[in-house]
Amino acid sequence: MAVYTSCITSTLQPYVPSTENPWNEERVRHAFRRIGYDANKSTISNALSLAPDVFIDQLIDASLNAPHWPTPTWAEFTNDDYNNLGFDFDEQTQANQVELMIALVDQMQTVGLKSRLIMFWSNHFVTRLEDYYVSNHLYEYYNTLEIHALGNFQDFVRAIGTTGAMLVFLNGVENTSYSPNENYARELYELFTLGVDNGYTQNDIVETSKALTGYNHRVNWTYPINFDNSTFNETDKTIFGQTGNWGYDDVIDILFQEKAPLIAQHICKKLYKYFVSPTVNEDIVAAMANSFVLDFNIENVLRILFKSDHFFDQKSIGTQIKSPYDMTISYLKVTNFSLSPDFYQGMIYYNGVLGQNMFEPVDVAGWQSDRDWINSSTLGGRWEILQWFIWHTWNSYNEELRTLAVESSNNSNDPYVVTKTIIDRFMPLELFSIEDYQAATDVFKHDLPENYYENQIWNLQWDSVPYQVVLLLIHLIKFPEFQLK
């Protein structure tokens, strides 16, 4: 699969459309794919009428102003609550988890940036659902991601470390003055804030782990985890050169006082790789970090990046490989096809089969993304799952396939135009050659006599059209370019 990997050299200066870099459908779709999860034709047309900076502000503001997912009735339930209500704990726990996952998938469809950031931060502040497997911990963790996704990063770091999910996953619940556990202290620096071997020592980890003791009290494994002063290490600790009887909040304060530039650099590099390109422009990351370090406001640094010449550079388009959720949600948003009530649950399962099991990253370092999403097994799986999507529409919402062709081509009766306009809605860039489009057109024509097309007898109202669109969709999902964003 050909992916452009050269470094993008344009700057963080605001993008101003020009003859060389026009404000066009290609760039609008690029922004929707990276910031949200793509868009349908009417949404793209509306965006084209806006100035680029206004368009970006609207995308970000939509997520800032979107209501939070309502607190579920089970948000604080323990095993005792389920027993008292007569519910089976395992069955109800699974149902709760599916409910939350479907809510996040729904957000992907409606407020793309917030849901994308929830997925990003869940892959940064990694926990694994299978390790704690309690609905109240999952909700607390998810709610923390949602609240802080576009907020202050220091507040985010402070909040995430005392969630039940994190305390169990990285063994904070086992970290006491009598039996220290260094796991969370190490990952706090190595993965969450500074980066591997960057600005901390083993002694800093040891001393920090002492300051993080005390979060050990709970009735049983399904209950919230609370601070217990009797298991807190009361001795003086020296962290990054500062000595005192430090506790949890002191650790976060000292970390951001002493290491702010390194934190900003580490986080901005991850944001760059996630939203722009796997090939990092260090100068751009440094410029982002210089802004981020001023207030650690995630929203502000993303506005700078998304409005930049760099983000809209032609070389940034089509440089990333779609994650399973990128691929499936993008397909749904482009087509705007209707879905049966149980469809999301099936999609969540299949995305897990493809390697992106929501709230279950592969390890503490998370999914590595980009090229790691594709191998000989997952590529065939991607085709099979999308064919399931396509046949779902054929079997349940047949006429919507025709609607896709009519809307894409403005009701053209030229099979080449219909084919090309449909393909271009799914691809970040045009196909490599006219021959590629012509081969796809031959697939779309199906087995109808050629003279029907030559004499313009055929049109998009023919009974055969929905099936012709099915054949084209099955063909186009196998293009290498379809896997790019």
Side-chain angles (χ1 to χ4, degrees):
M1 179 179 298
V3 181
Y4 193 95
T5 57
S6 296
C7 191
I8 305 162
T9 57
S10 50
T11 71
L12 274 183
Q13 290 297 310
Y15 163 62
V16 178
S18 64
T19 303
E20 296 77 21
N21 296 298
W23 181 232
N24 57 13
E25 184 171 322
E26 189 174 85
R27 281 182 171 77
V28 170
R29 286 207 56 227
H30 166 69
F32 274 121
R33 279 193 308 273
R34 296 293 179 83
I35 298 172
Y37 287 90
D38 225 314
N40 60 36
K41 188 173 182 180
S42 63
T43 303
I44 292 167
S45 297
N46 291 337
L48 278 168
S49 67
L50 303 173
D53 60 332
V54 175
F55 165 63
I56 294 298
D57 281 335
Q58 285 191 3
L59 286 182
I60 295 175
D61 291 345
S63 285
L64 284 170
N65 299 327
H68 286 192
W69 186 51
T71 303
T73 56
W74 47 263
E76 298 181 358
F77 276 14
T78 67
N79 63 323
D80 290 333
D81 294 298
Y82 294 117
N83 290 337
N84 291 336
L85 291 168
F87 295 147
D88 179 272
F89 177 82
D90 287 331
E91 288 183 4
Q92 194 59 41
T93 297
Q94 292 177 20
N96 297 343
Q97 292 160 2
V98 169
E99 181 185 342
L100 191 151
M101 291 174 179
I102 290 175
L104 182 50
V105 170
D106 185 62
Q107 285 185 338
M108 292 175 182
Q109 295 267 54
T110 55
V111 280
L113 178 60
K114 183 170 74 167
S115 58
R116 181 174 286 286
L117 283 169
I118 289 171
M119 293 294 281
F120 171 80
W121 292 121
S122 74
N123 199 46
H124 176 77
F125 295 116
V126 170
T127 67
R128 276 208 308 260
L129 179 56
E130 67 181 48
D131 286 55
Y132 56 87
Y133 202 67
V134 184
S135 298
N136 55 34
H137 288 354
L138 175 61
Y139 173 72
E140 179 192 28
Y141 174 70
Y142 168 86
N143 191 47
T144 302
L145 298 178
E146 185 176 31
I147 289 170
H148 295 280
L150 279 160
N152 178 274
F153 186 67
Q154 182 172 351
D155 293 342
F156 202 168
V157 174
R158 192 185 308 275
I160 202 72
T162 56
T163 59
M166 188 65 74
L167 286 168
V168 173
F169 179 63
L170 289 181
N171 310 107
V173 71
E174 302 168 19
N175 183 26
T176 70
S177 57
Y178 316 109
S179 179
N181 187 299
E182 299 171 6
N183 206 8
Y184 185 72
R186 178 174 290 103
E187 306 307 355
L188 173 64
Y189 298 148
E190 182 175 308
L191 295 178
F192 299 165
T193 57
L194 297 173
V196 179
D197 299 327
N198 189 35
Y200 62 92
T201 65
Q202 176 59 26
N203 190 63
D204 289 320
I205 292 172
V206 171
E207 295 290 281
T208 297
S209 67
K210 296 176 184 177
L212 298 179
T213 55
Y215 287 89
N216 315 116
H217 180 73
R218 56 178 173 172
V219 175
N220 66 39
W221 68 282
T222 70
Y223 271 73
I225 301 168
N226 299 308
F227 182 78
D228 185 346
N229 196 63
S230 69
T231 58
F232 175 68
N233 187 314
E234 293 282 1
T235 65
D236 280 355
K237 306 98 177 168
T238 301
I239 302 171
F240 301 137
Q242 295 194 32
T243 302
N245 182 17
W246 308 129
Y248 181 90
D249 284 333
D250 301 311
V251 167
I252 307 304
D253 291 340
I254 293 168
L255 170 61
F256 278 80
Q257 288 167 12
E258 299 294 334
K259 303 294 180 179
L262 295 180
I263 297 169
Q265 182 79 14
H266 179 60
I267 300 306
C268 287
K269 180 175 285 190
K270 291 196 73 169
L271 289 169
Y272 182 94
K273 292 173 73 173
Y274 187 72
F275 284 108
V276 181
S277 171
T279 304
V280 175
N281 182 315
E282 297 290 353
D283 291 337
I284 295 297
V285 170
M288 291 171 61
N290 287 340
S291 296
F292 193 44
V293 77
L294 298 177
D295 57 9
F296 282 103
N297 186 296
I298 299 163
E299 170 201 339
N300 289 348
V301 75
L302 288 181
R303 284 191 197 271
I304 292 170
L305 177 62
F306 295 157
K307 292 181 180 182
S308 72
D309 221 18
H310 195 85
F311 180 76
F312 283 107
D313 192 299
Q314 186 69 29
K315 293 178 182 178
S316 74
I317 301 174
T319 60
Q320 294 183 329
I321 294 173
K322 294 173 181 174
S323 72
Y325 275 100
D326 281 324
M327 181 189 72
T328 51
I329 299 297
S330 171
Y331 174 87
L332 295 178
K333 294 195 77 171
V334 169
T335 60
N336 208 28
F337 289 155
S338 300
L339 304 173
S340 60
D342 60 348
F343 187 90
Y344 277 172
Q345 191 167 342
M347 184 180 70
I348 289 167
Y349 169 77
Y350 285 127
N351 281 339
V353 171
L354 291 175
Q356 195 175 21
N357 196 355
M358 194 182 291
F359 298 123
E360 298 277 11
V362 291
D363 55 33
V364 70
W367 302 298
Q368 295 308 296
S369 304
D370 202 52
R371 293 180 185 271
D372 288 347
W373 290 126
I374 298 286
N375 56 46
S376 57
S377 175
T378 59
L379 184 58
R382 285 175 175 234
W383 297 341
E384 290 180 15
I385 288 163
L386 285 170
Q387 286 184 54
W388 172 65
F389 280 46
I390 294 165
W391 289 118
H392 172 79
T393 304
W394 167 256
N395 290 322
S396 302
Y397 306 100
N398 187 286
E399 278 300 307
E400 293 186 8
L401 293 156
R402 185 193 312 277
T403 300
L404 177 69
V406 171
E407 290 182 348
S408 298
S409 67
N410 292 321
N411 203 26
S412 174
N413 66 348
D414 182 337
Y416 181 87
V417 171
V418 175
T419 299
K420 185 177 188 303
T421 55
I422 290 176
I423 289 174
D424 288 348
R425 290 182 66 179
F426 290 92
M427 308 298 174
L429 299 165
E430 290 193 337
L431 299 183
F432 182 72
S433 68
I434 293 176
E435 287 74 21
D436 290 331
Y437 285 111
Q438 190 58 60
T441 303
D442 291 341
V443 170
F444 176 72
K445 286 180 176 179
H446 189 31
D447 57 3
L448 297 179
E450 185 63 31
N451 67 296
Y452 288 3
Y453 299 106
E454 292 174 351
N455 298 329
Q456 297 186 334
I457 299 171
W458 175 89
N459 60 52
L460 289 177
Q461 303 312 310
W462 276 46
D463 290 344
S464 63
V465 167
Y467 186 69
Q468 290 179 260
V469 175
V470 165
L471 296 177
L472 177 59
L473 291 175
I474 290 173
H475 180 73
L476 72 83
I477 63 174
K478 296 183 180 180
F479 280 115
E481 295 91 340
F482 182 84
Q483 304 301 334
L484 303 178
K485 64 174 182 174

